[in-house]
Amino acid sequence: MKVAVLDIKGKETGRSIELSDDVFAIEPNEHAIYLDVKQYLAHQRQGTHKAKERAEIAGSTRKIKKQKGTGTARAGSIKSPVFRGGGRIFGPRPKDYTQKLNKNVKRLARKSALTLKSKEQALVVVEDFNFEAPKTKDFVSFLTSLGIENKKSLIVLGDSNNNVYLSSRNLERSEVVTGSELNTYKIVNAKSLVLTESALEGIESNLKK
């Protein structure tokens, strides 16, 4: 599949690039995408949630009232969960949310997500570019030239570029990553995927392994 290479102004450069069928034209495996996205979201959780149960509350162990003759329910500890300031019943405890996923499944998920973006014609290839200085205005002009200024977009660079990254950081709907940072969740979450030529080369060489 051939795709035209655009410049920073959204105009065709007269060149086209061949997308690898092994990466951008496979049979999409939606279950692999689901597993990879689920793992990514699970790994965003710190798992440090904790509430004190009755054994961990600081307080007296004295029996707070006599057993019989009060007309109310019997009560022994002020740390009981039924009292204000008492422990939490079955409260959250620290938990490790790590999920294991095979490397081949993760690779299949990324290729499936890229294939879906290619089929939806939501994938654009641009030549490598840079800004002279970090300016949000320049980055907005770049998005406008591609017609994706109002869409959630993901721009993938071959290598880290501080000027481009800082120019995009103030825009809520746009994210800039390098090819090595690309994952299935980011691909699926974006409405438009913009790849630079160097990023495309790195992605294909990595996913063809």
Side-chain angles (χ1 to χ4, degrees):
M1 176 181 175
K2 282 194 173 183
V3 176
V5 179
L6 307 181
D7 60 17
I8 194 172
K9 295 182 179 178
K11 303 286 180 64
E12 291 192 12
T13 59
R15 295 184 292 113
S16 61
I17 194 165
E18 185 76 30
L19 298 181
S20 172
D21 288 346
D22 294 335
V23 177
F24 294 93
I26 68 167
E27 182 66 33
N29 189 317
E30 293 189 355
H31 187 63
I33 294 176
Y34 158 74
L35 291 175
D36 200 8
V37 169
K38 186 174 76 164
Q39 185 203 45
Y40 174 83
L41 293 176
H43 288 184
Q44 304 310 299
R45 304 185 68 174
Q46 289 184 326
T48 54
H49 38 54
K50 179 69 177 76
K52 289 185 178 182
E53 299 186 2
R54 65 182 297 166
E56 300 165 315
I57 294 290
S60 173
T61 57
R62 178 182 68 91
K63 184 171 174 65
I64 58 177
K65 62 181 181 180
K66 63 182 184 177
Q67 179 80 346
K68 300 169 118 7
T70 62
T72 59
R74 56 194 175 185
S77 174
I78 195 68
K79 297 184 283 186
S80 170
V82 301
F83 294 126
R84 181 177 178 275
R88 174 90 180 267
I89 303 175
F90 303 129
R93 297 179 177 181
K95 180 179 177 180
D96 180 13
Y97 286 96
T98 301
Q99 296 182 8
K100 183 183 181 301
L101 197 61
N102 292 337
K103 191 185 297 182
N104 287 338
V105 176
K106 292 175 73 70
R107 187 177 291 123
L108 174 62
R110 266 176 294 173
K111 292 195 287 188
S112 298
L114 290 170
T115 297
L116 291 175
K117 280 286 177 281
S118 177
K119 286 184 176 181
E120 295 166 2
Q121 296 184 339
L123 188 150
V124 179
V125 178
V126 299
E127 61 184 5
D128 293 342
F129 65 95
N130 188 18
F131 297 141
E132 293 181 0
K135 282 190 177 180
T136 305
K137 183 178 179 180
D138 292 343
F139 193 81
V140 171
S141 297
F142 167 66
L143 296 179
T144 303
S145 66
L146 297 177
I148 58 174
E149 68 276 11
N150 294 322
K151 296 180 180 179
K152 187 181 288 187
S153 58
L154 179 67
I155 287 78
V156 187
L157 307 177
D159 296 307
S160 59
N161 187 316
N162 205 41
N163 286 350
V164 176
Y165 169 70
L166 292 176
S167 299
S168 69
R169 196 167 57 172
N170 202 33
L171 299 176
E172 185 179 5
R173 294 188 174 189
S174 186
E175 184 179 5
V176 172
V177 297
T178 60
S180 59
E181 297 170 333
L182 188 65
N183 60 54
T184 305
Y185 175 79
K186 291 184 186 294
I187 298 171
V188 173
N189 191 42
K191 294 294 183 184
S192 295
L193 181 64
V194 180
L195 305 176
T196 62
E197 289 183 277
S198 58
L200 177 61
E201 183 180 343
I203 290 169
E204 287 186 344
S205 63
N206 184 36
L207 294 180
K208 280 182 180 179
K209 291 177 183 177

